[in-house]
DNA sequence: GAATGTGATAGATGACATCTATCAAGCCTG
DNA sequence: CAGGCTTGATAGATGTCATCTATCACATTC
């Protein structure tokens, strides 16, 4: 049985005339006669009583036509819903973001995203890199904003912008007197985030392993770390987008001699079909952040 | 779009594996891949994200699959309902019957019909010949039991049994002394039904036109006529099946010399598709009435 | 009785679903 | 890490079947 045949039934039932029903269906009258007869043979039931005077639905047809209408209506609904879904820049877009980026980046890009992609419902999901990647692979996220390189064979990514790190110092710290700070000089009293945050690893990689203070402090968020630094408990590196929040907390910021930093990338499954949405979101974020990293630090692990 | 394709979608969504879905659908894996891709192109929406590891429905697929399920379910409903409707000996069967036949025939054949054709819901419709034929032509009846010949090009019929007429006399009537009555002898004081009843015309045809009494009496039913005869108001012809009722009313019955009578036929539209039901009903009635007309009077107009 | 209108039939044709054979990519194991 | 296994994609051949045009058969109408 075929949806086409079902539409033929409806046409005949409506016009009660093979010629006009065929015309309305865009086929010839013989085709319609043959197809209807085949369908009747398939169903084992006569659907219309024909004569040269009139075409009248049988009782069996009356019983069936409700289901026929419903089937055709559902098929049409599929087409019409698909039409609205056709735009890859529409619908839910679940975007994972790491915690050291989300609170500072989202306020910047939310309005531009909404303006550029009004039909795209961007749903941010804040979590650590490994959890985000898991969810990405499990199709529970559509894309993610990460600061690590991890193109596996199943994932693809594209850099959006370079984010330099800055030295975050208590105002009374000796290094605060310098205009530029050497990364290694921070190692002595550096504070880092709890395990799992990529910024922790990147900070330690840039400054050299110390972890004397980092081992005792379990800072789950960057803002905790900032407050600790402001209180004179130690120093740290912060990503450039957090500069505003750090200064608000009363922290002294200094550029780094080796221009350590990280590159924020958008990551997606290589097979993800809505590549257009990924590119569009990436474009908007990259445009908003253009010119942010004058230093142009790139690609720390 | 095709129902087959929709079933493919459901198979893939269920198995999440092209090979197994193809096997379950009874086709090869390449066919399934090609068909799904074509459907995706038609809809303009990716339905599944494929990799050699997993096949995952897209968000668009999740939105659509409800309609897909509904469409397929309705199509299945068509097939299943058609299967129950397939038996022509099942369902409503609207049967017109003339008033001079219905009250005497129906009690005889109702039980045999029910036993022989338990799935056929015979709905008797009592009316005069012309009204019945109109309803038959208007598809408001499926068949009719008539006592007249009227095979037009659009109607067909088949004789079921011959029903002899009997002379109905008041007990004190002079003719009641005879064993056999000549049809013409009844003409003087014969009573007939109101216009429109075929029995009226048949009676007048058999006995010769008189109508002196018939003109003043407007008897709408045979039982009225019987009561008039019993009261000595006149004589009449009655169809054989009414003999029992006539005798109960205290009427004397006598056979007719020329064996006037009528043939009861089942009539249907020549194009009516449930010919099997017509034949089956006719068979049951003819079998029940077999041996009824020993005289074998046939075919008065 | 010719003209008109109706659905059914016959034979030709083209589109397309399907097949087998094969490839490309990724995963697992020894 | 190489080779085998699994998975979906691709290519080319093939047969089915929907569709067409031309025509018929039948009934109605003027």
């Amino acid at each position: 049985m075929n949806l086409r045949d079902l539409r033929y039934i409806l046409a005949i039932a409506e016009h009660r005339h093979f010629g006009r029903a065929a015309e309305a269906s865009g086929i010839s009258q013989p085709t319609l006669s043959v197809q209807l007869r085949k369908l009747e043979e398939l169903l084992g039931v006569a659907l219309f009583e024909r004569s040269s005077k009139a075409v009248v639905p049988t009782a069996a047809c009356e019983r069936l036509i409700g289901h026929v209408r419903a089937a055709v209506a559902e098929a049409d609904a599929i087409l019409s819903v698909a039409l609205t879904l056709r735009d890859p820049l529409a619908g839910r877009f679940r975007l994972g973001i790491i915690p050291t980026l989300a609170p500072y980046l989202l306020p910047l890009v939310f309005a531009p995203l909404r303006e550029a992609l009004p039909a795209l419902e961007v749903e941010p999901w804040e979590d650590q890199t490994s959890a985000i990647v898991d969810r990405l692979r499990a199709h529970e996220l559509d894309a993610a904003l990460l600061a690590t390189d991890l193109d596996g064979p199943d994932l693809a990514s594209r850099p959006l912008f370079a984010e330099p790190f800055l030295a975050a110092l208590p105002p009374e710290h000796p290094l605060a007197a310098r205009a530029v700070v050497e990364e290694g000089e921070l190692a002595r009293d550096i504070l880092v985030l709890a395990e799992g945050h990529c910024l922790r690893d990147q900070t330690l990689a840039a400054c050299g392993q110390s972890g004397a203070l980092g081992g005792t402090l379990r800072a789950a968020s960057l803002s905790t770390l900032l407050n600790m630094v402001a209180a004179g408990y130690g120093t740290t590196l912060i990503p450039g987008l957090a500069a505003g929040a750090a200064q608000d907390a009363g922290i002294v910021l200094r550029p780094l001699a080796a221009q350590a930093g990280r590159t924020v990338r958008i990551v997606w499954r290589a097979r993800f079909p809505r590549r257009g949405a990924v590119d569009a979101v990436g474009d908007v974020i990259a445009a908003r952040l253009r010119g942010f990293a004058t230093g142009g630090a790139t690609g720390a692990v």
Side-chain angles (χ1 to χ4, degrees), chain A:
Chain A
M1 193 171 49
N2 199 315
L3 275 169
R4 181 184 359 99
D5 298 333
L6 300 187
R7 292 183 200 277
Y8 293 165
I9 293 183
L10 295 185
I12 298 173
E14 184 189 350
H15 292 92
R16 303 205 165 195
H17 187 288
F18 275 68
R20 285 191 280 279
E23 191 183 8
S25 305
I27 58 172
S28 69
Q29 170 265 315
T31 300
L32 187 61
S33 291
V34 169
Q35 290 309 111
L36 179 69
R37 190 158 45 79
K38 283 188 185 177
L39 186 59
E40 286 179 329
E41 279 166 20
L42 172 74
L43 296 179
V45 173
L47 295 173
F48 295 95
E49 192 176 323
R50 305 112 154 119
S51 72
S52 53
K53 212 188 300 182
V55 174
V56 183
T58 63
C61 184
E62 303 284 5
R63 284 274 297 277
L64 288 172
I65 202 150
H67 292 294
V68 174
R69 272 188 232 285
V72 170
E74 290 295 342
D76 289 340
I78 291 170
L79 291 172
S80 117
V81 171
L83 210 60
T84 71
L85 260 48
R86 186 170 276 178
D87 183 4
L89 305 185
R92 280 210 309 175
F93 188 82
R94 295 160 301 178
L95 182 65
I97 313 184
I98 53 175
T100 54
L101 189 59
Y104 316 109
L105 179 64
L106 282 179
L108 292 180
V109 299
F110 226 86
L113 279 173
R114 188 148 270 233
E115 189 186 359
L117 306 168
L120 199 69
E121 301 156 27
V122 177
E123 295 183 359
W125 176 274
E126 186 175 333
D127 213 329
Q128 293 182 1
T129 302
S130 65
I132 284 178
V133 170
D134 287 348
R135 296 190 81 87
L136 196 57
R137 287 208 162 97
H139 294 75
E140 289 165 355
L141 290 174
D142 297 313
L145 299 176
L146 304 179
T148 45
D149 293 323
L150 47 71
D151 293 21
D154 59 334
L155 295 181
S157 76
R158 162 191 163 200
L160 297 182
F161 61 92
E163 186 181 26
F165 291 147
L166 298 171
L169 310 167
E172 66 276 9
H173 195 278
L175 292 173
R178 305 265 198 84
V180 174
V181 173
E182 199 85 30
E183 281 84 346
E185 293 177 308
L186 295 168
R188 254 180 309 131
D189 52 0
I190 199 159
L191 302 173
V192 293
L193 287 168
E195 292 214 0
H197 289 274
C198 58
L199 182 59
R200 169 198 172 98
D201 305 324
Q202 290 159 346
T203 300
L204 293 177
C207 305
Q209 300 287 338
S210 149
L213 288 165
T216 62
L217 175 67
R218 182 175 157 75
S221 74
L222 197 51
S223 77
T224 302
L225 215 53
L226 292 177
N227 289 334
M228 296 299 291
V229 171
Y233 195 63
T235 66
T236 191
L237 289 194
I238 63 162
L241 283 175
Q247 283 173 329
D248 290 348
I251 288 178
V252 173
L253 297 177
R254 292 290 177 266
L256 294 167
Q259 297 185 333
R262 64 184 184 180
T263 299
V264 173
R265 321 175 72 90
I266 189 164
V267 185
W268 64 94
R269 291 186 301 281
R271 309 267 186 174
F272 182 58
R274 290 168 71 200
R275 178 67 195 272
V278 175
D279 286 341
V281 168
D283 287 346
V284 170
I285 296 176
R288 177 67 184 82
L289 274 293
R290 191 151 297 151
F292 165 74
T294 46
T298 317
V301 171

